[in-house]
Amino acid sequence: MIEFNAVSKQYPTGQLALYNVNLKLNQGEMAFLTGHSGAGKSTLLKLIALLDEPSSGEVIVAGQNTKTIKQRKTPAFRRNIGMIFQDHHLLLDRSVFDNIALPLKIEGMRHQDIKRRVRAALDKVNLLSKEDQFPMMLSAGEKQRVGIARAVVNKPAIILADEPTGNLDPDLASDIMHTFKQFNEYGSTVLIASHDHELIKEMKKRIIVLRKVKTTNTKAGLKNGR
Amino acid sequence: MGAKYHQSGSFLGSLMGHHKEAIVYSLAKLWQSNLSTWITLAAIAIALCLPASLHLLLQNLKSLTDDKREVPTISLFIKQDISEQRARDRGELLEELSQIDKVVLVPRDEALKDFRKITGFAETLETLDENPLPHVLVVTPHINLIGNPEEDMEKLAAKLNTYPEIDLVQMDIEWVRRLRSILRIAERAIFVISALLALTVLLVIGNTIRLNIENRKEEIKVSKLIGATAAYIRRPFLYTGVWYGLFGGVMSLVLVHLALLWFVGPVNELARLYGSTFVISGLSVATTFFILFASSLLGLVGAWIAVGSHLRSTKLEE
């Protein structure tokens, strides 16, 4: 489902974020991406979601080389990826319902179907009672769950999460991780960047460790865990 | 990853849904908005007001000049040494001409009487030894013979000028022609002013939309992240531009008509003093729609320009 072949990413500032990364994630797999901060976890996820492009090497998502995807097709491509961020990226002037409905509205779904799908997503993250509230009225954990509901509401083939539990206390964090596991069981390929080692170990899923690029010319590859 | 978008209904159906959503959303945003929106609308309205009212002024001046109820006449001033009887005979002969409908003789004494009545020059006239006024033949041309009125009238006038009794031929349409040529120049001036003010409206709306985009950067970013197309993101802004143009246009029409109401009284008074049946006219339905259409279009184009450069790229700068 996701394949990295000798991918490097250097930012225009000269900073080398990824160097010679090789990685393969099968359809329906769930994996954690870990490593020190600055090891390029976020960059790796961005390359998958077409939020950035590799300097060299190729990224293949769902059998498609991301380099060959035209800019015009990018939005449609992104709609098949549910992305969750550490800072939830919710729209503060819209209700929980409207936030989650956004991807479906973009797809042009009918109102009745949107209602049904949003309720189903809210139910999965246990927030059914909060659909009329606004993000400011929610706790950090709830906001994160709204973000997850929005990412999964259109049943994406791939779910990417960048430090989804970064701001949460351990109980909540574990709760969120299990929610992801659930979505993986429904069939989505899930890749989560996290540095919460304890929690990751608990989940008993494949762990991918990204090593920090120390200096140029140092092979900072990738070690596949387990 | 298959194409699983537009799962429900046709492509057209979802597109209409998108437009409906954008319309409702942009209207709601405008409705909730603050003082600055009203100031923007007022600026647009005033900018549109000027060309609209100039157009109205021109329209009214034109209607003043082609008043069909008054058939144009030609006045023939008879030479001083010609007797009233000879003038009358000439008039009768003229009446036989096919181009001429009617000839009325105004004898010099009668003319003097009328002149006294109208102008209040009575005392001045008293001081004169003799009547300075000539006999006048007022010729009414056959209106149905006149295809190109101005040209035919001119030919007729030239012909009349050849008669020995006639001193001077004066067409009543002379002033009309002069006014018309002035109006033609005014028309161009108004066009230039309109173009400049249209540009102003374009810039005002463009800038407003640009600020709007600036304020909603986060929303745009999130929308891009979850796969919104550029068209989807652009749409509410374009509608906002159209609303600015449309509502600004409506406001300008209201302003123009209020101003018009204020003018009706004095203008009618003036017309009465001149013995004219002239009535001030408002904007026609076609012009009203044109103004609304043009202002909406300006809004759309202004918004398009503002949005275009900002949203063309689907890339994200974090």
Side-chain angles (χ1 to χ4, degrees):
Chain A
M1 199 62 167
I2 300 171
E3 201 177 326
F4 277 60
N5 292 326
V7 173
S8 297
K9 173 67 188 176
Q10 186 166 22
Y11 285 109
T13 54
Q15 189 199 352
L16 194 61
L18 294 173
Y19 181 73
N20 195 24
V21 173
N22 293 285
L23 156 74
K24 195 168 159 68
L25 206 66
N26 294 319
Q27 181 159 6
E29 205 177 347
M30 176 166 176
F32 289 98
L33 186 64
T34 181
H36 294 287
S37 51
K41 297 193 291 286
S42 297
T43 305
L44 194 148
L45 293 182
K46 277 186 196 164
L47 294 185
I48 299 170
L50 289 187
L51 298 176
D52 218 331
E53 47 193 19
S55 310
S56 66
E58 56 184 14
V59 178
I60 294 162
V61 180
Q64 240 182 323
N65 188 337
T66 55
K67 265 211 179 102
T68 64
I69 296 172
K70 292 195 179 76
Q71 207 181 61
R72 201 162 48 79
K73 298 276 185 195
T74 305
F77 175 86
R78 267 186 210 145
R79 272 178 243 148
N80 283 305
I81 298 176
M83 192 137 185
I84 294 126
F85 310 88
Q86 183 170 3
D87 46 343
H88 47 77
H89 279 320
L90 297 178
L91 299 178
L92 301 180
D93 63 341
R94 299 199 201 183
S95 69
V96 167
F97 182 96
D98 287 339
N99 264 289
I100 298 173
L102 202 54
L104 303 179
K105 281 187 183 165
I106 290 169
E107 282 186 15
M109 201 176 273
R110 276 184 312 168
H111 191 66
Q112 299 96 296
D113 295 332
I114 291 178
K115 235 176 182 169
R116 194 169 45 75
R117 292 280 281 273
V118 170
R119 296 252 162 83
L122 276 169
D123 190 33
K124 279 181 201 151
V125 296
N126 287 322
L127 281 175
L128 209 46
S129 60
K130 310 255 179 181
E131 66 169 33
D132 292 329
Q133 297 202 8
F134 283 82
M136 293 305 260
M137 301 150 88
L138 304 176
S139 70
E142 286 169 337
K143 276 183 215 162
Q144 195 54 276
R145 268 145 61 199
V146 174
I148 293 170
R150 187 182 62 194
V152 302
V153 71
N154 60 343
K155 298 180 181 159
I158 298 171
I159 296 172
L160 304 175
D162 192 1
E163 302 281 2
T165 60
N167 294 330
L168 306 179
D169 62 59
D171 281 350
L172 270 172
S174 166
D175 205 40
I176 296 279
M177 286 303 185
H178 279 95
T179 310
F180 281 119
K181 203 171 161 184
Q182 215 184 329
F183 287 119
N184 174 239
E185 280 156 13
Y186 292 141
S188 292
T189 306
V190 180
L191 182 60
I192 301 168
S194 173
H195 58 245
D196 191 342
H197 296 287
E198 298 293 312
L199 184 58
I200 291 171
K201 267 185 210 150
E202 235 172 71
M203 299 300 295
K204 300 198 169 26
K205 292 284 182 186
R206 181 176 160 197
I207 297 170
I208 301 163
V209 184
L210 266 180
R211 292 258 172 76
K212 188 169 181 165
V213 184
K214 284 177 202 121
T215 52
T216 35
N217 294 334
T218 307
K219 283 236 167 168
L222 191 112
K223 188 184 108 194
N224 282 359
R226 254 167 46 88
Chain B
M1 238 177 309
K4 70 181 197 69
Y5 31 100
H6 306 310
Q7 289 133 316
S8 56
S10 62
F11 173 73
L12 203 68
S14 89
L15 194 67
M16 272 170 57
H18 279 159
H19 276 279
K20 198 175 138 201
E21 186 200 344
I23 288 170
V24 170
Y25 182 70
S26 57
L27 274 176
K29 277 272 163 197
L30 210 61
W31 186 250
Q32 292 162 5
S33 53
N34 44 19
L35 188 65
S36 71
T37 306
W38 286 104
I39 293 172
T40 306
L41 281 176
I44 295 164
I46 290 165
L48 290 170
C49 231
L50 208 54
S53 49
L54 286 176
H55 169 81
L56 200 56
L57 182 71
L58 200 68
Q59 227 31 58
N60 275 298
L61 285 176
K62 269 189 183 161
S63 82
L64 197 60
T65 62
D66 53 30
D67 197 339
K68 289 285 186 292
R69 286 158 300 188
E70 283 177 39
V71 178
T73 56
I74 301 173
S75 301
L76 306 177
F77 295 91
I78 307 296
K79 286 180 178 149
Q80 285 287 1
D81 54 350
I82 305 289
S83 72
E84 186 177 337
Q85 191 49 50
R86 239 185 106 187
R88 195 180 300 279
D89 292 346
R90 176 47 69 197
E92 270 160 24
L93 283 171
L94 284 177
E95 216 155 25
E96 321 246 291
L97 290 175
S98 63
Q99 296 103 314
I100 291 173
D101 184 31
K102 199 166 70 175
V103 179
V104 177
L105 175 72
V106 183
R108 61 201 323 180
D109 299 335
E110 211 170 291
L112 187 67
K113 236 188 275 165
D114 285 347
F115 197 56
R116 278 209 183 97
K117 234 186 278 166
I118 296 169
T119 58
F121 273 116
E123 288 98 33
T124 320
L125 290 170
E126 262 354 294
T127 63
L128 296 170
D129 296 339
E130 58 179 84
N131 184 355
L133 300 172
H135 300 300
V136 175
L137 287 173
V138 179
V139 175
T140 307
H142 236 304
I143 201 75
N144 52 356
L145 278 182
I146 294 168
N148 182 352
E150 282 170 33
E151 206 175 294
D152 289 354
M153 287 273 280
E154 211 144 325
K155 268 190 211 152
L156 183 59
K159 188 176 175 189
L160 293 174
N161 214 2
T162 58
Y163 293 107
E165 298 88 347
I166 290 162
D167 187 25
L168 183 72
V169 176
Q170 197 184 338
M171 284 188 288
D172 279 2
I173 56 161
E174 200 64 40
W175 69 274
V176 171
R177 287 170 54 206
R178 286 190 192 129
L179 185 59
R180 282 210 181 140
S181 71
I182 291 171
L183 291 182
R184 268 196 287 276
I185 295 169
E187 217 161 38
R188 298 213 170 165
I190 289 173
F191 181 80
V192 171
I193 292 171
S194 302
L196 288 175
L197 288 167
L199 200 63
T200 309
V201 171
L202 201 71
L203 291 176
V204 168
I205 292 177
N207 195 46
T208 307
I209 299 294
R210 196 184 57 78
L211 289 174
N212 224 319
I213 292 170
E214 227 34 60
N215 288 337
R216 281 156 62 184
K217 264 209 158 120
E218 183 63 23
E219 188 180 329
I220 292 169
K221 192 170 115 185
V222 172
S223 302
K224 279 184 181 176
L225 280 175
I226 59 180
T229 58
Y232 179 87
I233 295 170
R234 197 189 292 130
R235 218 169 277 130
F237 292 110
L238 296 185
Y239 273 110
T240 306
V242 171
W243 301 141
Y244 270 114
L246 184 64
F247 295 146
V250 170
M251 271 171 83
S252 79
L253 288 175
V254 170
L255 286 176
V256 167
H257 279 106
L258 283 178
L260 204 61
L261 277 180
W262 198 54
F263 271 96
V264 165
V267 168
N268 285 349
E269 175 71 12
L270 186 67
R272 197 182 59 76
L273 287 176
Y274 271 94
S276 161
T277 50
F278 174 75
V279 177
I280 201 165
S281 62
L283 291 167
S284 67
V285 176
T287 311
T288 302
F289 276 109
F290 174 76
I291 289 174
L292 293 179
F293 174 76
S295 62
S296 306
L297 190 69
L298 284 172
L300 180 66
V301 173
W304 193 280
I305 292 168
V307 166
S309 60
H310 193 91
L311 300 179
R312 200 164 297 129
S313 139
T314 44
K315 288 272 181 304
L316 287 157
E317 54 291 333
E318 299 271 331

